[in-house]
Amino acid sequence: MSETYFQKGFGLKSEVGPILARTYRSPVIERLKALGYEANAGGIHFKLAKEFGFCYGVDRAVDYAYQTRQRFADRRVFLSGEIIHNPDVNTRLREMGICILDDSRDPVARFREVGAGDVVILPAFGVSVPELQHLQAKQCVLVDTTCGSVLNVWKKVHYYARDGYTVVIHGKHYHEETRATASQALTHQNGHYLCVRDVAETELVCDFIRGSLTGQDLMSRFADAASPGFDPDRDLRKVGLANQTTMLMSETLKVQETLRRAMIERHGEADLEQHFRAFDTICSATQERQDAVLEMLDGANLALMIVIGGYNSSNTQALARMCAPRVTTYYIDRPGCIGAEGIHHRPIGAADETLTAAWLPDGEARVGITAGASTPDSVVGEVIERILALRGKSPADLTAAIDFAHRSPTFANAPAGKQSIA
Ligand code: SF4
């Protein structure tokens, strides 16, 4: 292990483990899990997703950040950006004296305050190649918490770029992970990338491939989402598809199929392999959380769903997008969103929170709870405590579920109806 680059922690797990447990675990969640992920109190039937909250990558990144603070107690410690997209976790890290740098695409601007010997923690979604090189040149001590699933995407990107395929990334071009992934393509001679956010953007790329959209028109839409000097005529002849790890799986499959069909129309099925490659690089943690939500939506007969996670958290947004068309959904980023005045929540696509007053149905109600991969149990537990408080109850009142799902046709009527969030 070099003295300036650390990737495997500092052997301080036993020291930071109890602190992490005290900070991020929740007795309420432990109780709900022990009761089979569902329990009743005060007329509310809580149904917890089978998989939710901290994923293995976030767990590891947060653990390393705490270890780093202990190992370098006498040094300045920076985070190259939010370690994960969760306000509670980031606030706690700031309180430990870790400085979270503002986002900027320009490494010089982003790391202006950082100097030789300072410690910089790289987040779970990684940093771009120019950022890494800039920090190395500055002789910083780097603690790299990039998740193994992100490294796996980078490996695929290298295969594509090495073999002359332009990397098409299904992801948000401004998201740190996608920026880091895209930068890997540029380490190869003639390497290029193009980011598509959704099926609609993929259709535009396909219009160009089929010849119904000019390269100029295409680039007017993708100027910020493509590699420098991107030439659609040259760079869309051979493409390899990868994903930001936290996208919606159903959308990813549509993106893949849409692009595949266009390449078949343009180049013929026999030559497809020469022009199109694809790997599904959604990580297993994202997949498991989405599967658990689908199971709830299909079978739990919920009155409403609460989705908890940072508003800039891609995987939490994906969970909310799955729920909203099927059940009244409230996407919240902190326990404080729930109070006597109602629930503060942010519909997807909206820039701001909105307040819904009478959100909890009177009488019996089945409430589904899930949380994104960057949300600790402590936050989820506090949300449940706040809901219980609205009924004058506490976690001690939670009892094994008496399922009143089919007892009354009226209990499931949420006041707001389904939300349509795009
Ligand atoms: S969401 Fe997936 S890729 Fe991201 S940190 Fe978690 S496990 Fe890793």
Side-chain angles (χ1 to χ4, degrees):
M1 188 189 293
S2 95
E3 284 299 306
T4 55
Y5 183 76
F6 300 91
Q7 217 179 2
K8 296 194 189 306
F10 300 101
L12 297 170
K13 234 177 176 7
S14 55
E15 278 87 338
V16 303
I19 302 170
L20 291 169
R22 265 199 316 277
T23 311
Y24 297 117
R25 289 224 183 112
S26 158
V28 186
I29 297 301
E30 303 294 327
R31 182 165 169 75
L32 260 165
K33 285 184 176 173
L35 291 170
Y37 289 78
E38 45 194 316
N40 292 336
I44 301 173
H45 181 113
F46 289 100
K47 175 100 178 145
L48 196 56
K50 287 277 162 50
E51 294 288 344
F52 68 94
F54 269 15
C55 59
Y56 49 85
V58 165
D59 228 7
R60 179 174 162 276
V62 173
D63 180 12
Y64 283 8
Y66 276 69
Q67 289 195 35
T68 303
R69 184 67 279 181
Q70 291 225 347
R71 169 72 173 73
F72 296 103
D74 55 345
R75 297 230 200 154
R76 299 202 304 167
V77 178
F78 294 86
L79 257 161
S80 69
E82 292 189 340
I83 191 164
I84 53 172
H85 292 312
N86 183 274
D88 177 76
V89 175
N90 288 316
T91 299
R92 288 178 193 277
L93 292 171
R94 282 193 185 95
E95 286 168 359
M96 288 161 55
I98 296 178
C99 174
I100 302 179
L101 296 167
D102 289 338
D103 194 11
S104 167
R105 283 191 180 220
D106 174 10
V108 176
R110 188 173 202 170
F111 300 116
R112 183 167 288 129
E113 305 174 47
V114 177
D118 284 338
V119 181
V120 182
I121 303 169
L122 312 181
F125 25 69
V127 294
S128 70
V129 173
E131 287 171 327
L132 183 65
Q133 290 170 341
H134 185 75
L135 289 169
Q136 285 168 332
K138 277 197 156 190
Q139 298 184 310
C140 297
V141 175
L142 300 180
V143 180
D144 187 351
T145 75
T146 308
C147 178
S149 294
V150 174
L151 295 175
N152 188 42
V153 184
W154 294 359
K155 212 186 283 178
K156 303 289 189 297
V157 166
H158 285 292
Y159 290 150
Y160 293 148
R162 181 199 63 193
D163 295 347
Y165 290 74
T166 289
V167 183
V168 174
I169 304 167
H170 173 219
K172 297 162 188 163
H173 68 81
Y174 49 83
H175 189 283
E176 296 96 323
E177 181 191 316
T178 297
R179 272 158 42 192
T181 296
S183 74
Q184 302 295 322
L186 303 185
T187 60
H188 294 260
Q189 202 179 11
N190 302 323
H192 280 284
Y193 67 82
L194 181 73
C195 304
V196 290
R197 186 179 171 144
D198 50 26
V199 177
E201 286 197 356
T202 309
E203 292 284 8
L204 286 175
V205 176
C206 293
D207 286 346
F208 171 80
I209 291 169
R210 293 193 191 93
S212 58
L213 187 74
T214 67
Q216 201 178 10
D217 285 345
L218 183 75
M219 292 319 292
S220 70
R221 297 289 300 269
F222 286 89
D224 292 335
S227 47
F230 193 92
D231 175 354
D233 287 315
R234 180 194 60 201
D235 299 325
L236 287 175
R237 289 187 58 75
K238 290 176 74 164
V239 301
L241 183 64
N243 322 104
Q244 189 179 316
T245 54
T246 49
M247 301 304 275
L248 194 55
M249 176 54 115
S250 56
E251 187 177 63
T252 279
L253 294 175
K254 279 187 207 149
V255 165
Q256 189 180 128
E257 185 53 19
T258 305
L259 205 47
R260 194 180 77 87
R261 283 188 181 284
M263 291 308 256
I264 289 174
E265 283 180 41
R266 178 75 177 80
H267 301 287
E269 188 135 26
D271 281 339
L272 186 63
E273 168 65 17
Q274 299 302 315
H275 295 277
F276 180 69
R277 288 187 188 172
F279 285 105
D280 157 25
T281 56
I282 301 278
C283 76
S284 58
T286 295
Q287 184 62 61
E288 286 161 9
R289 279 149 190 73
Q290 292 179 10
D291 288 348
V293 160
L294 267 186
E295 192 185 314
M296 288 170 85
L297 292 172
D298 287 343
N301 197 16
L302 301 171
L304 61 96
M305 187 82 179
I306 295 186
V307 181
I308 311 158
Y311 291 139
N312 53 352
S313 159
S314 178
N315 77 87
T316 314
Q317 287 172 15
L319 296 176
R321 285 177 62 197
M322 289 173 72
C323 296
R326 297 185 55 183
V327 63
T328 300
T329 298
Y330 298 104
Y331 179 8
I332 65 175
D333 79 337
R334 61 197 185 284
C337 286
I338 293 174
E341 73 284 13
I343 188 166
H344 297 267
H345 60 104
R346 197 163 93 170
I348 290 182
D352 300 308
E353 279 186 346
T354 183
L355 173 66
T356 300
W359 64 279
L360 190 59
D362 291 335
E364 295 176 342
R366 287 172 65 82
V367 174
I369 307 268
T370 190
S374 45
T375 310
D377 281 6
S378 53
V379 169
V380 182
E382 214 186 310
V383 166
I384 291 169
E385 284 185 54
R386 280 177 170 259
I387 298 172
L388 284 168
L390 295 175
R391 293 280 173 98
K393 300 291 176 188
S394 75
D397 297 310
L398 284 168
T399 56
I402 302 163
D403 194 340
F404 42 73
H406 306 291
R407 212 161 75 190
S408 157
T410 57
F411 79 91
N413 292 336
K418 281 182 258 179
Q419 280 187 334
S420 160
I421 55 181

